Amino acid sequence: MLFQSFGFVLFLFLLWSCYWKMPSRYRWCLMLAAGCFYYSLWNFQYTLLVVFISGITYIAARVIDHRRDRKRPVLIVYIVLELAILCLFKYVGFLGSIVNDILHILGSSKEFSVFQWILPVGISFYIFQTIAYVADVYLGKTPAERHFGYFAESVIFFPILLAGPIEKIPFLTAQFKKEMSFSYEGSCRAFQRILLGYMKKLIIADSLAAITGQIYSNIGGYVGFPLLIAIFLYAIEIYCDFSGYSDIAIGTAGLFGISIHENFKQPYFADSIKDFWKRWHISLTSWFREYVYIPLGGNRVAAWKQVRNVMCVYVLSGLWHGADWTFLAWGGMNGIAQVLENVFYKRKHTIRVPKIIRQVIVFVLVSIMWVFFRMESMADAVFVLAHCFDGVGALGAYLQFGISQLGIPRMQGCLLAAFLLLLFWIDREKEKGAEKVLNGIFVSILLAVGMFYYLRYGIDSSAFIYFQF
């Protein structure tokens, strides 16, 4: 059940109505049942998986908290089990293809057939969330939660279950236990946040996906400007798609009085790759920094070890996103870019570059790296980058032919451009520190125009991009 479906809106309304009518002490039961029901609509069998992971996490944390003398073996067994589950569903096929490639290179005719499991939606998110919780209990940062209901509710909290943000479990359980009363003002803010997410997803991301999908599904049929424009449109598409999901998730949680941390902070206003990753998918970046980068020594080690630590984080981040060479290349390129950036900024007498130019450079670099994230093979990614400037010598024809190849009706193009400018203005105001950008009248106008756009040019909405991870 997609966030943008009518079924979800009805589900949310009924749940919201019941939630605030119930006594506080019983609300966890309703939300836990809602989470299990919501996940079962994707795959009923895998609901048992998330319940199983919740159970072993709860037990491991309690054992570690109670038997400190045996905490290390318990932690190791638990993490191995969690990662084995993740590898079973996500990486077995990739590892099998690597083995077959090696055998082929060695001249062997043998080939292993590997069963490819259907990937449970959101498994990477809730496994990282539960590993972080047990690690924090092990390190003494938080006590183990005694109430299994509140704990399980935190793992199976439906707004963030499928694609994050990756929240700290104690942060959620503390809120679930609070006595909360309905707030009209809070519900209005939550609704506005949901509306912003729908605008990003339904109007911008899905419209751009129709364009980039048409080009990237037949890259051999396009050269020049269509490939170039697809590179930058996809960068905007994935931002609107994923940040749109996060907006809807944060707004949905807000309807129930639950605060969720921000997952995006105007990433395309970043003026360095390091700054970009402080703004993009913040919960995942924070997870890798806290549980991989710092344990490896962070930046408090020799220079070559710091390079190793940075590369480990970004290569693992690429692998987290997907079991394919393209994701590893994408992660590796981000790591290399940050290493080179660190070297550049550590030099004395570094040339001062205006911030706007740095922002443009970062956006271009990030957009180029997104090509490897998007394409299904390294060869396709290289083809796009190698042929995106074909014919640029005749600039007028290059632009005119390329625009005609996009096939967007003029009115739709104008409206889409208007929403892109609106999004740019909203992000710019947030970048300036504005606490409140949207007001009631503005939201009403946005809703009306958005409804007109969707009814007139509505495209079949697809699942959020990050559901595949």
Side-chain angles (χ1 to χ4, degrees), residues 270-279 314 333-339 341 345 358 361-363 365-366 369:
D271 60 357
S272 68
I273 297 297
K274 184 177 182 179
D275 186 30
F276 174 81
W277 281 105
K278 288 181 179 179
R279 298 162 174 263
Y314 283 100
M333 285 187 291
N334 274 280
I336 292 170
Q338 184 159 325
V339 168
E341 186 177 82
Y345 282 115
R358 297 199 307 271
I361 291 173
V362 170
F363 176 70
L365 287 175
V366 168
M369 290 187 286

Side-chain angles (χ1 to χ4, degrees), residues 39-212:
Y39 198 68
S40 69
L41 294 178
W42 293 94
N43 191 309
F44 176 75
Q45 290 82 357
Y46 288 158
T47 305
L48 301 178
L49 175 65
V50 72
V51 171
F52 172 74
I53 288 175
S54 300
I56 63 172
T57 302
Y58 175 80
I59 293 170
R62 290 296 305 275
V63 171
I64 289 173
D65 202 28
H66 182 64
R67 298 295 301 270
R68 307 301 293 182
D69 56 323
R70 297 183 181 179
K71 66 176 186 176
R72 185 175 179 83
V74 174
L75 177 70
I76 293 173
V77 170
Y78 169 77
I79 291 179
V80 168
L81 179 59
E82 285 272 83
L83 294 180
I85 292 172
L86 183 61
C87 289
L88 177 66
F89 286 102
K90 194 166 184 176
Y91 301 110
V92 167
F94 182 51
L95 294 174
S97 68
I98 292 175
V99 172
N100 288 330
D101 288 342
I102 294 174
L103 291 174
H104 180 71
I105 292 172
L106 295 175
S108 174
S109 59
K110 293 182 179 180
E111 184 171 313
F112 290 97
S113 58
V114 181
F115 181 77
Q116 186 68 52
W117 296 81
I118 298 174
L119 184 66
V121 180
I123 186 171
S124 299
F125 289 91
Y126 56 75
I127 280 187
F128 267 36
Q129 181 188 38
T130 49
I131 287 177
Y133 168 70
V134 173
D136 286 347
V137 173
Y138 172 84
L139 295 171
K141 294 181 179 180
T142 184
E145 174 58 48
R146 294 180 176 275
H147 193 293
F148 179 74
Y150 285 120
F151 170 78
E153 181 187 3
S154 300
V155 178
I156 315 177
F157 187 45
F158 77 92
I160 62 173
L161 177 61
L162 304 184
I166 304 171
E167 281 291 355
K168 294 276 192 178
I169 287 176
F171 175 73
L172 292 174
T173 54
Q175 295 185 75
F176 294 146
K177 293 177 180 179
K178 285 182 179 179
E179 289 283 340
M180 291 185 291
S181 56
F182 175 75
S183 168
Y184 175 78
E185 183 180 350
S187 294
C188 286
R189 287 197 304 269
F191 173 74
Q192 291 177 4
R193 191 64 182 269
I194 292 172
L195 181 63
L196 178 62
Y198 279 139
M199 182 197 80
K200 290 180 179 179
K201 171 60 177 173
L202 296 176
I203 297 176
I204 300 178
D206 286 341
S207 296
L208 296 180
I211 301 171
T212 60

Side-chain angles (χ1 to χ4, degrees), residues 374-395:
R374 171 62 173 82
M375 304 310 295
E376 296 182 0
S377 71
M378 294 290 290
D380 287 346
V382 172
F383 179 91
V384 170
L385 296 176
H387 294 278
C388 63
F389 287 107
D390 287 1
V392 74
L395 186 59

